[in-house]
Amino acid sequence: YDRDNTTLAGFPLCPACARDYATPSARRFHAQTLACPACGPRVWLADAAGAPSPAGDPIAAAAAALRDGAIVGVQGLGAFHLVCDATSAPAVAELRRRKRRDAQPLAVMVGDLKAAEALADLDPAAREALGSPARPIVLAPARAGAVVDGVRGPSRRAGVLLPYTPLHAALLAEAGRPLVFTSGNVSGGPAVIDHDGARAHLAGLVDTLLLHDRPIARRVEDSVVAAGARGLRVLRRSRGLAPLPVRLPRASPEPVLAVGGHQKNTACVVVGDLAYLTPHLGDLGLYEGELAWRREVEGFEALLGVRAEVLAHDLHPDYASTRYALARPARRRFGVQHHAAHALAAVAELHPREPVLAIVYDGTGWGPDGTTWGAELLVVDGARWQRVSAFRPLPLPGGERALREVWRAALGVLHDAFGSGEARALAARLAVFRGETPARLDGVLRALDAGVGSTRARGLGRWFDALGALVLGLARADFDGHIPLALEERADPGDAPAYPIDPPARLALEGRLSAASEIDPRPTVRAVVHDLLAGVTPERISARVHATVVEATCAVAARALAETGLRRVVLSGGALQNRRLEQGLVARLGDETVLSPRDVPVNDGGLALGQAWAAVLALTERARGSLPRDGEPA
């Protein structure tokens, strides 16, 4: 961290600072971030195109613009933010319109812990996290009134953070109110980190820019933490938390690069027994995001002084990260099934000293059996894994369109549970389908009858999309996880009886999974529809849906533990960010039995760690070059 190796290298010390820096008796002796107004970074205000604007005090001028309803692009420590007044409904609505972020919750920065308490109900762990050096965004139950409702979108939780740079603190003090801080990008693209990028990509989003001349060396967005069944857990591992290493259960004989997934991406570099996860790199769906990702990954390797010749990647052939791993020169490559990687990420963090049963509940991941996976129970023993049970796949008419147009998933489960004719009659009575014409519904049902135009998806996230759409009458998802989040937060807080659900006839302890080893939620779908038509409240139905998943999972898990002799269960996958599910599984299976990751996200932000650990196991156990599928040996 010598000054010459940081972004302060371009700021020569003035005589007064140089004297203090070189004087052992001075309080500022050898302080690497030493600077003053004469020789340190400079702050100025600019218009949306980046041209400097006259302002006596640029921070005061930016704060005045915010109070007047403007959207300000603020250059931060690791990226730009889009900032507006969190107490102004028109300002928040305009920010959403420009950023094309219709409903996804927005984070709010406040000046101190007292102001944070006004926004959210904070427990001691949340208060400690807010004030920690990492300064993450903390998700906690929202309090009414401190900011406008449009900030939270459909969520009942607030995302709160405190200032982590002097510029932020000064801006908040001048503004005198909570401020929305969200990534400086159009939704889906990488956050802007330099002035050229701000001019090119933020001109249509902001009214003014608050700039400084200390360059941003690497894109680092804000970390996010939230309450889980056992205290705070990391949902997005970035500024303040990455690249702190995760110590692996054993060392790798050579450096490994694992490239992660397609969404919520992080990459991971292993050196010895230390796994270094990059900060959150985001989604790779846009070309500019993919280019930025490549630069960040290769820059991260350079930071660690390695160029890995062993690469690990997802099996999905269309992921940008997979294409990169297959195109880059390498001595060895390891393809790792998505949900095996989720399970192995938990093992890499938690270090169980024995084989485990992994409950991996997720949204979507490539499966080798012609379905997308995402609701799997896996026996994991080192580099070997066996899928012993999974949810029955549901039909998703329109394929990926059903991830946003969730009425399609809802129609798919009706067709699966009732058949085409009854599904059509039910659709006419259910609120989720009221925006669709009869002709369109009939066309989708005919396609389902013919078995064309659909994918088959097992993911618990997809089941929750379908059931949540039915229960809540929501036809479209505005962001990833929207419908499962709404279903979770709508549930009655008390206990509720489970709905009927068909357990597997037997577990697939050897060989590939068959229909006899599946958990079949079709009885649950029929019972949910019956309750909806009988006028049972969404809150009650949602609570029963969650209880059904917990009860069915625990019954299969207990059976698997008994038949295999295993003693420990690990939880992973993005759907297990659902606090109600996690709490139910821990309560039913036992606190001494269940291991839950805390420091590495259970969502795709932790995927690269599992891929990396798979590669280390393969190298050290002399595997053939890929992890096994459904019980094949490494």
Side-chain angles (χ1 to χ4, degrees), residues 449-461:
D449 287 338
V452 298
S454 296
T455 57
R456 296 168 65 235
R458 299 181 184 276
L460 189 68

Side-chain angles (χ1 to χ4, degrees), residues 204-245:
L205 303 181
V206 302
D207 299 302
T208 190
L209 292 163
L210 186 61
L211 303 174
H212 60 75
D213 56 358
R214 182 176 180 178
I216 296 172
R218 285 182 171 80
R219 183 178 287 102
V220 184
E221 299 191 53
D222 299 320
S223 294
V224 182
V225 303
R230 294 164 163 173
L232 288 183
R233 69 187 326 169
V234 176
L235 303 185
R236 187 166 80 185
R237 195 171 187 268
S238 200
R239 178 190 47 74
L241 301 177
L244 295 173

Side-chain angles (χ1 to χ4, degrees), residues 1-80:
Y1 197 66
D2 287 344
R3 185 184 181 95
D4 287 348
N5 296 326
T6 75
T7 54
L8 281 173
F11 296 89
L13 296 176
C14 68
C17 287
R19 184 169 55 251
D20 284 351
Y21 184 77
T23 303
S25 61
R27 185 170 60 88
R28 303 199 297 168
F29 173 60
H30 213 260
Q32 298 299 311
T33 55
L34 178 61
C36 75
C39 64
R42 183 175 59 91
V43 178
W44 69 94
L45 204 66
D47 64 19
S53 301
D57 183 338
I59 296 175
L66 289 167
R67 290 193 298 270
D68 289 340
I71 297 167
V72 180
V74 177
Q75 184 178 356
L77 185 69
F80 276 72

Side-chain angles (χ1 to χ4, degrees), residues 46 84 153 164 167 172 180 201 293 320 389 407 413 431 442 484 490 506:
C84 77
Y164 54 88
L167 179 62
L172 278 159
V180 167
H201 300 293
W293 174 84
S389 186
W407 66 267
V413 295
D442 287 341
R490 193 74 177 269
R506 60 179 179 273

Side-chain angles (χ1 to χ4, degrees), residues 248 250-256 270-273 310 331-332 612-613 615-622:
L248 297 175
R250 72 174 69 157
S252 176
E254 60 183 294
V256 172
V270 176
V271 181
D273 66 347
V310 176
R331 189 178 62 79
R332 297 191 71 179
W613 179 230
V616 173
L617 287 169
L619 291 171
T620 55
E621 295 180 8
R622 297 181 180 177

Side-chain angles (χ1 to χ4, degrees), residues 104-400:
Q104 191 170 352
L106 300 167
V108 177
M109 185 180 286
V110 292
D112 54 35
L113 196 56
K114 181 179 179 181
E117 294 274 13
L119 265 67
D121 183 10
L122 304 175
D123 62 18
R127 285 192 290 272
E128 182 180 356
L130 274 172
S132 71
R135 285 292 206 269
I137 297 170
V138 176
L139 303 184
R143 299 186 190 274
V147 299
V148 296
D149 290 341
V151 169
R152 296 195 312 273
S155 179
R156 298 183 181 182
R157 290 187 291 177
V160 189
L161 76 163
L162 298 183
Y164 54 88
T165 72
L167 179 62
H168 293 149
L171 183 62
L172 278 159
E174 288 284 351
R177 62 197 64 193
L179 299 176
V180 167
F181 266 71
T182 189
S183 297
N185 61 345
V186 177
S187 291
V192 167
I193 62 171
D194 56 33
H195 296 175
D196 288 343
R199 284 190 289 269
H201 300 293
L202 301 187
L205 303 181
V206 302
D207 299 302
T208 190
L209 292 163
L210 186 61
L211 303 174
H212 60 75
D213 56 358
R214 182 176 180 178
I216 296 172
R218 285 182 171 80
R219 183 178 287 102
V220 184
E221 299 191 53
D222 299 320
S223 294
V224 182
V225 303
R230 294 164 163 173
L232 288 183
R233 69 187 326 169
V234 176
L235 303 185
R236 187 166 80 185
R237 195 171 187 268
S238 200
R239 178 190 47 74
L241 301 177
L244 295 173
V246 176
R247 190 171 295 278
L248 297 175
R250 72 174 69 157
S252 176
E254 60 183 294
V256 172
L257 169 64
V259 296
H262 198 65
Q263 294 183 306
K264 302 178 181 67
N265 181 278
T266 63
C268 182
V269 176
V270 176
V271 181
D273 66 347
L274 297 179
Y276 297 89
L277 280 160
T278 67
H280 167 81
L281 299 178
D283 298 345
L284 307 185
L286 298 178
Y287 181 62
E288 55 266 34
E290 183 179 344
L291 290 179
W293 174 84
R294 290 178 181 230
R295 289 193 297 270
E296 295 293 336
V297 169
E298 292 174 5
F300 192 69
E301 284 186 290
L303 180 69
L304 295 171
V306 301
R307 176 73 174 180
E309 295 185 0
V310 176
L311 303 183
H313 59 85
D314 196 271
L315 292 178
H316 197 302
D318 292 330
Y319 281 4
S321 55
T322 300
R323 294 196 304 268
Y324 173 83
L326 295 177
R328 171 171 155 167
R331 189 178 62 79
R332 297 191 71 179
R333 295 185 182 85
F334 298 95
V336 188
Q337 199 281 329
H338 192 91
H339 300 95
H342 274 303
L344 289 165
V347 170
E349 177 186 340
L350 298 168
H351 295 208
R353 298 182 180 273
E354 57 193 301
V356 297
L357 177 70
I359 298 171
V360 185
Y361 283 171
D362 196 28
T364 301
W366 189 89
D369 63 354
T371 67
T372 63
W373 290 10
E376 322 301 321
L377 283 82
L378 310 173
V379 170
V380 180
D381 182 2
R384 302 170 64 93
W385 57 269
Q386 171 68 37
R387 187 170 60 143
V388 299
S389 186
F391 271 56
R392 170 188 171 86
L394 63 88
L396 289 182
E400 289 197 1

